[in-house]
Amino acid sequence: DKPFIKLNCAAIPEELLESELFGHEKGAFTGATNFKPGKFDMANAGTIFLDEIGDMPYNLQGKILRVLQEQEFYRVGGSRTIKVNVRIIASTNKNLEKMVREGTFREDLFYRLNVFTLNLPPLRERKEDIPLLVDYLLQNSPTKVTISSTALQMLLAFSWPGNIRELKNTIESASVLAENGTIEAAHLPAKIAGAFNQDHEASVKIATGISLDERLREIEKGLIIEALQKTGGVQVRATELLGINQRSLWHRIKKHGIDVKSMKNYDL
């Protein structure tokens, strides 16, 4: 029931950012015709979220540090100390430790912010999430759309430099093109198809010397895991995707040593 205020430090010009954070008094600068409260005023007794804090100008970092340490600040053009009580959450896609070494981010501010850290790896480092995310995006699509196994494999082979935003845009675009209600390989961008072809060629080279039976076992295991992940470990639904009966699926799960319990109850 307390305020939650967010500010993108990279989206606001440097000369306006201080006023956005701390507010300004009337007449503080040209165009300041009225008093304006800042984000810290608005977040008092609540939380302020500073997105992309790695883009905050160096001179402002010291003023943020003062708020953290003293719980007070000055408005632009003001002389009165303003007391404030806020929780600060900050995010960045930059390496702040490297910026500290390079002298572009204050070391004292870094250690004041770095009390509790949540590290979210890029999508390319957690590709096991892609089938779940795709399923979630399709379930929330305005039109009923599914995705073919080949198209999903192509998504898994891509590196996703734009992370989940790029994946979301790709699914939305492909959904528009999928007139028959199924996203196929042809509906995906050319760069994704290129990455898939390169990955496939590399896997063929790596697989040299491996017997056909071993390759088929790996393919079978991968398809079963994919089906179980998409169905949250519900074997009845997985059999429908795979086109086999439940007894056959049970034997294959046992043969490959697949841990079904670890795939149950995914919560997106």
Side-chain angles (χ1 to χ4, degrees):
D1 60 342
K2 302 297 182 183
F4 178 82
I5 306 299
K6 51 190 175 183
L7 178 73
N8 189 323
C9 300
I12 299 174
E14 181 176 345
E15 60 272 15
L16 298 178
L17 186 55
E18 183 175 1
S19 174
E20 282 292 319
L21 285 166
F22 305 117
H24 63 251
E25 301 289 351
K26 181 179 179 181
F29 50 83
T30 303
T33 56
N34 296 295
F35 158 75
K36 178 187 174 183
K39 300 296 186 186
F40 275 100
D41 287 289
M42 298 162 65
N44 192 25
T47 301
I48 186 167
F49 172 45
L50 301 177
D51 194 11
E52 302 296 358
I53 197 164
D55 291 292
M56 178 170 285
Y58 194 86
N59 66 309
L60 268 183
Q61 292 174 22
K63 296 180 180 182
I64 294 294
L65 180 65
R66 175 183 170 85
V67 178
L68 277 166
Q69 293 185 158
E70 309 296 335
Q71 296 188 327
E72 62 184 31
F73 63 90
Y74 291 102
R75 291 198 182 97
V76 177
S79 57
R80 183 169 61 92
T81 300
I82 309 299
K83 285 286 186 180
V84 70
N85 177 25
V86 297
R87 175 197 291 116
I88 293 183
I89 302 174
S91 74
T92 182
N93 62 0
K94 297 186 175 181
N95 187 332
L96 293 187
E97 290 179 305
K98 181 181 178 183
M99 291 179 69
V100 167
R101 293 194 297 269
E102 294 172 345
T104 55
F105 197 86
R106 291 183 62 119
E107 184 177 22
D108 45 8
L109 177 58
F110 171 72
Y111 287 115
R112 286 292 296 177
L113 287 170
N114 196 28
V115 177
F116 185 83
T117 302
L118 290 172
N119 179 43
L120 181 63
L123 192 54
R124 65 180 176 273
E125 293 180 9
R126 49 191 177 97
K127 290 193 173 183
E128 65 276 8
D129 287 355
I130 290 176
L132 298 168
L133 291 166
V134 169
D135 190 49
Y136 173 79
L137 292 169
L138 291 177
Q139 285 180 16
N140 288 273
S141 174
T143 56
K144 186 173 177 58
V145 181
T146 60
I147 187 168
S148 70
S149 178
T150 301
L152 184 60
Q153 290 299 319
M154 292 173 71
L155 297 181
L156 286 165
F158 192 57
S159 61
W160 300 108
N163 291 302
I164 292 178
R165 288 189 184 94
E166 186 178 11
L167 176 64
K168 182 175 183 290
N169 291 341
T170 298
I171 293 299
E172 288 179 354
S173 173
S175 297
V176 172
L177 297 172
E179 295 179 353
N180 64 349
T182 301
I183 296 174
E184 303 287 355
H187 301 139
L188 300 176
K191 60 183 180 181
I192 293 179
F196 176 74
N197 291 333
Q198 290 178 359
D199 188 66
H200 178 68
E201 289 173 7
S203 66
V204 170
K205 290 177 182 177
I206 292 170
T208 302
I210 299 175
S211 71
L212 178 61
D213 287 340
E214 288 178 35
R215 292 188 200 181
L216 291 174
R217 276 196 295 271
E218 287 302 311
I219 292 171
E220 182 181 71
K221 181 178 179 180
L223 290 172
I224 292 171
I225 290 173
E226 179 186 325
L228 289 167
Q229 286 178 333
K230 290 188 72 173
T231 59
V234 179
Q235 295 183 39
V236 175
R237 290 178 58 197
T239 60
E240 295 172 0
L241 293 178
L242 295 167
I244 59 177
N245 62 49
Q246 195 168 353
R247 183 176 177 81
S248 177
L249 177 60
W250 183 83
H251 282 296
R252 292 166 199 252
I253 289 172
K254 187 176 180 181
K255 178 178 73 173
H256 294 298
I258 297 171
D259 183 7
V260 179
K261 290 182 180 179
S262 66
M263 302 177 196
K264 289 185 177 180
N265 301 320
Y266 278 104
D267 186 2
L268 292 172

